[in-house]
Amino acid sequence: MLSPPDNWLPQVPLEPLHLDWLAHAGIELAILRLDQIDPLISGNKWFKLIEHLRNADRVGAEGIISLGGAHSNHLHALAAAGKRLGFSTVGLLRGHPQETPTVKDLQAFGMQLHWLGYAGYRARHEAGFWQPWQTRYPTLHPVPEGGGGWPGALGCMQFRAAVCAQLQGLGWSDYDGWWLACGTGTTLAGLVLAEAGDHPVYGALAVPGDHGVAQQVETIVQQAAIADPVYELFDASRGGFAKVDPLLLEFIEKTEQASGIPLEPLYTGKALLALKQQVEAGKFARGTRLIFVHTGGLQGRRGFSPQI
Ligand SMILES: *Cc1c(COP(=O)(O)O)cnc(C)c1O
């Protein structure tokens, strides 16, 4: 069995987040701390994996093979889960061998690594890409980059129940929407499925010019035949994925000092800064209550050199 027993699944804390710019606009924010679920397995990537692990069990696989970059939060969560739950993992990496903190962890967790170069990695969407790997590792179940797609979204549906179970503790009777960072949009799609139109889901895009996020969300939403999906996407990329600028870094530092919440510059920092900009532009009425999803990713900021 690769998938964990149900009672193993982590509890996700929901906490109030007080910041000047929120108070000023009369907006209440609660933060769903996916970064706090486990010392090693952190963030949305763990939830995106759960259904893939169940699928692997259904086909009798003994482990997982997947791909990512040298700072990949997905490979990190996968390798940590493999070590914790006792299944084997193989990672196909973009580029040439590098010793990042993430890569060192992958090795320490027992993940077997293969470096594909850049051209080799670009071929990952081509028909036949998996064939040689499946011949080489016939007992491993392949999982797409980032743990995306329909199974990835299914694993993120449970955030709604996690929030509903903790609303009373905040003194809230309800909430008015979700705000979260998007890369592929899989996590957002899971929330759109769980809400089925009850509350809107706002996605802050960490990638420029949409990058197929809307299509990814539409594909998943259509598969679930949700009649009335409610979501909206905002550009939060600040000029490109992994592009960092002084204003962003200053915002992250100030937010950490004021709230104690650690953020990283690729997803969560950009998402919260984009929310601030929307709040200041008057997007939300006074009294609005939002859930901000801390999607984790803090492991990836070690040794990350910002491209200012
Ligand atoms: C991967 C990632 C995201 C994006 O998730 P998607 O499901 O691809 O949209 C957001 N935040 C962090 C920290 C991530 O690692």
Side-chain angles (χ1 to χ4, degrees), residues 44-45 48 73-74 146 156 180-188 264 267-268 295-298:
N44 64 338
K45 297 303 184 293
K48 291 172 76 175
N73 293 325
H74 162 65
C156 296
L180 76 157
C182 292
T184 62
T186 307
T187 306
L188 176 134
E264 45 66 56
Y267 293 103
T268 49
T295 41
L298 297 168

Short mmCIF file of all heavy atoms in Angstrom, two decimals, residues 44-45 48 73-74 146 156 180-188 264 267-268 295-298, ligand 1:
data_model
loop_
_atom_site.label_atom_id
_atom_site.label_comp_id
_atom_site.label_asym_id
_atom_site.label_seq_id
_atom_site.Cartn_x
_atom_site.Cartn_y
_atom_site.Cartn_z
N ASN A 44 0.54 22.10 -0.62
CA ASN A 44 -0.51 21.52 -1.47
C ASN A 44 -0.02 20.28 -2.20
O ASN A 44 -0.82 19.43 -2.59
CB ASN A 44 -1.03 22.57 -2.45
CG ASN A 44 0.02 23.06 -3.44
OD1 ASN A 44 1.23 22.96 -3.19
ND2 ASN A 44 -0.43 23.60 -4.56
N LYS A 45 1.30 20.14 -2.39
CA LYS A 45 1.81 19.00 -3.15
C LYS A 45 1.48 17.67 -2.47
O LYS A 45 1.29 16.67 -3.15
CB LYS A 45 3.32 19.12 -3.37
CG LYS A 45 3.72 20.34 -4.19
CD LYS A 45 3.02 20.35 -5.55
CE LYS A 45 3.47 21.51 -6.43
NZ LYS A 45 3.07 22.83 -5.94
N LYS A 48 -2.11 16.95 -3.37
CA LYS A 48 -2.22 16.60 -4.79
C LYS A 48 -1.74 15.18 -5.05
O LYS A 48 -2.10 14.58 -6.06
CB LYS A 48 -1.40 17.60 -5.64
CG LYS A 48 -2.03 19.00 -5.65
CD LYS A 48 -1.12 20.02 -6.31
CE LYS A 48 -1.12 19.89 -7.82
NZ LYS A 48 -0.31 21.00 -8.44
N ASN A 73 8.95 21.47 -5.27
CA ASN A 73 8.18 21.16 -4.07
C ASN A 73 7.47 19.82 -4.23
O ASN A 73 7.25 19.10 -3.25
CB ASN A 73 7.13 22.26 -3.82
CG ASN A 73 7.78 23.57 -3.46
OD1 ASN A 73 8.82 23.61 -2.80
ND2 ASN A 73 7.18 24.67 -3.90
N HIS A 74 7.09 19.51 -5.46
CA HIS A 74 6.39 18.25 -5.74
C HIS A 74 7.30 17.04 -5.48
O HIS A 74 6.92 16.11 -4.76
CB HIS A 74 5.89 18.27 -7.19
CG HIS A 74 5.55 16.93 -7.73
ND1 HIS A 74 4.51 16.17 -7.22
CD2 HIS A 74 6.10 16.19 -8.73
CE1 HIS A 74 4.45 15.02 -7.89
NE2 HIS A 74 5.41 15.01 -8.80
N GLY A 146 4.30 18.00 -11.00
CA GLY A 146 3.50 18.76 -10.03
C GLY A 146 2.34 17.98 -9.44
O GLY A 146 1.60 18.52 -8.62
N CYS A 156 -7.38 17.94 -3.35
CA CYS A 156 -7.49 19.30 -2.78
C CYS A 156 -8.92 19.67 -2.41
O CYS A 156 -9.16 20.73 -1.82
CB CYS A 156 -6.91 20.33 -3.75
SG CYS A 156 -5.14 20.09 -4.03
N LEU A 180 -5.81 32.09 -3.45
CA LEU A 180 -4.62 31.21 -3.41
C LEU A 180 -3.76 31.38 -4.65
O LEU A 180 -4.22 31.87 -5.69
CB LEU A 180 -5.03 29.73 -3.29
CG LEU A 180 -5.57 29.03 -4.53
CD1 LEU A 180 -5.38 27.54 -4.41
CD2 LEU A 180 -7.05 29.35 -4.74
N ALA A 181 -2.50 30.97 -4.52
CA ALA A 181 -1.55 31.00 -5.64
C ALA A 181 -1.85 29.85 -6.60
O ALA A 181 -2.21 28.75 -6.18
CB ALA A 181 -0.12 30.85 -5.10
N CYS A 182 -1.67 30.13 -7.91
CA CYS A 182 -1.87 29.09 -8.93
C CYS A 182 -0.60 28.93 -9.76
O CYS A 182 0.00 29.91 -10.18
CB CYS A 182 -2.95 29.49 -9.92
SG CYS A 182 -4.56 29.54 -9.22
N GLY A 183 -0.23 27.67 -10.01
CA GLY A 183 0.82 27.36 -10.97
C GLY A 183 0.18 26.70 -12.18
O GLY A 183 0.10 27.28 -13.26
N THR A 184 -0.32 25.48 -11.97
CA THR A 184 -1.09 24.80 -13.03
C THR A 184 -2.58 25.06 -12.88
O THR A 184 -3.34 24.84 -13.81
CB THR A 184 -0.88 23.28 -12.97
OG1 THR A 184 -1.36 22.80 -11.70
CG2 THR A 184 0.59 22.92 -13.13
N GLY A 185 -3.02 25.46 -11.68
CA GLY A 185 -4.45 25.65 -11.42
C GLY A 185 -5.13 24.40 -10.88
O GLY A 185 -6.34 24.41 -10.64
N THR A 186 -4.37 23.35 -10.62
CA THR A 186 -4.96 22.09 -10.14
C THR A 186 -5.57 22.25 -8.75
O THR A 186 -6.68 21.78 -8.49
CB THR A 186 -3.88 20.99 -10.09
OG1 THR A 186 -3.24 20.91 -11.35
CG2 THR A 186 -4.48 19.66 -9.73
N THR A 187 -4.85 22.95 -7.88
CA THR A 187 -5.35 23.14 -6.51
C THR A 187 -6.61 23.99 -6.53
O THR A 187 -7.61 23.67 -5.87
CB THR A 187 -4.25 23.82 -5.65
OG1 THR A 187 -3.06 23.04 -5.76
CG2 THR A 187 -4.66 23.92 -4.20
N LEU A 188 -6.59 25.06 -7.34
CA LEU A 188 -7.77 25.90 -7.48
C LEU A 188 -8.94 25.08 -8.02
O LEU A 188 -10.07 25.19 -7.51
CB LEU A 188 -7.47 27.08 -8.42
CG LEU A 188 -8.67 27.98 -8.72
CD1 LEU A 188 -8.28 29.45 -8.58
CD2 LEU A 188 -9.23 27.74 -10.10
N GLU A 264 7.24 32.32 0.80
CA GLU A 264 8.34 32.23 -0.17
C GLU A 264 7.98 33.10 -1.37
O GLU A 264 6.81 33.44 -1.56
CB GLU A 264 8.67 30.78 -0.53
CG GLU A 264 7.51 29.85 -0.83
CD GLU A 264 6.77 30.23 -2.06
OE1 GLU A 264 7.43 30.32 -3.12
OE2 GLU A 264 5.54 30.43 -1.99
N TYR A 267 5.36 31.70 -4.94
CA TYR A 267 3.90 31.50 -4.95
C TYR A 267 3.19 32.29 -3.86
O TYR A 267 2.40 33.18 -4.14
CB TYR A 267 3.57 30.02 -4.75
CG TYR A 267 3.99 29.11 -5.88
CD1 TYR A 267 5.11 28.30 -5.76
CD2 TYR A 267 3.24 29.02 -7.05
CE1 TYR A 267 5.48 27.43 -6.78
CE2 TYR A 267 3.59 28.15 -8.06
CZ TYR A 267 4.72 27.36 -7.93
OH TYR A 267 5.07 26.50 -8.93
N THR A 268 3.48 31.93 -2.59
CA THR A 268 2.66 32.48 -1.50
C THR A 268 2.89 33.98 -1.31
O THR A 268 1.94 34.72 -1.05
CB THR A 268 2.94 31.74 -0.19
OG1 THR A 268 4.37 31.67 0.01
CG2 THR A 268 2.39 30.32 -0.24
N THR A 295 -0.01 27.62 0.52
CA THR A 295 0.22 26.38 -0.22
C THR A 295 1.59 25.76 0.09
O THR A 295 1.96 24.76 -0.54
CB THR A 295 0.07 26.65 -1.73
OG1 THR A 295 0.67 27.91 -2.04
CG2 THR A 295 -1.39 26.69 -2.14
N GLY A 296 2.34 26.33 1.03
CA GLY A 296 3.61 25.71 1.45
C GLY A 296 4.78 26.19 0.60
O GLY A 296 4.90 27.38 0.34
N GLY A 297 5.63 25.27 0.19
CA GLY A 297 6.75 25.63 -0.69
C GLY A 297 7.95 26.20 0.01
O GLY A 297 8.89 26.65 -0.64
N LEU A 298 7.94 26.19 1.35
CA LEU A 298 9.03 26.86 2.07
C LEU A 298 10.36 26.15 1.89
O LEU A 298 11.41 26.80 1.94
CB LEU A 298 8.67 27.00 3.55
CG LEU A 298 7.43 27.86 3.78
CD1 LEU A 298 6.95 27.74 5.22
CD2 LEU A 298 7.69 29.32 3.43
C1 LIG B 1 2.95 24.01 -6.82
C2 LIG B 1 2.61 25.16 -5.93
C3 LIG B 1 1.51 26.00 -6.19
C4 LIG B 1 0.65 25.83 -7.41
O1 LIG B 1 -0.24 24.74 -7.35
P1 LIG B 1 -1.09 24.35 -8.64
O2 LIG B 1 -1.97 23.26 -8.16
O3 LIG B 1 -0.12 23.87 -9.68
O4 LIG B 1 -1.80 25.54 -9.12
C5 LIG B 1 1.23 27.02 -5.29
N1 LIG B 1 2.00 27.21 -4.21
C6 LIG B 1 3.08 26.44 -3.94
C7 LIG B 1 3.89 26.76 -2.73
C8 LIG B 1 3.41 25.39 -4.77
O5 LIG B 1 4.49 24.63 -4.49
#
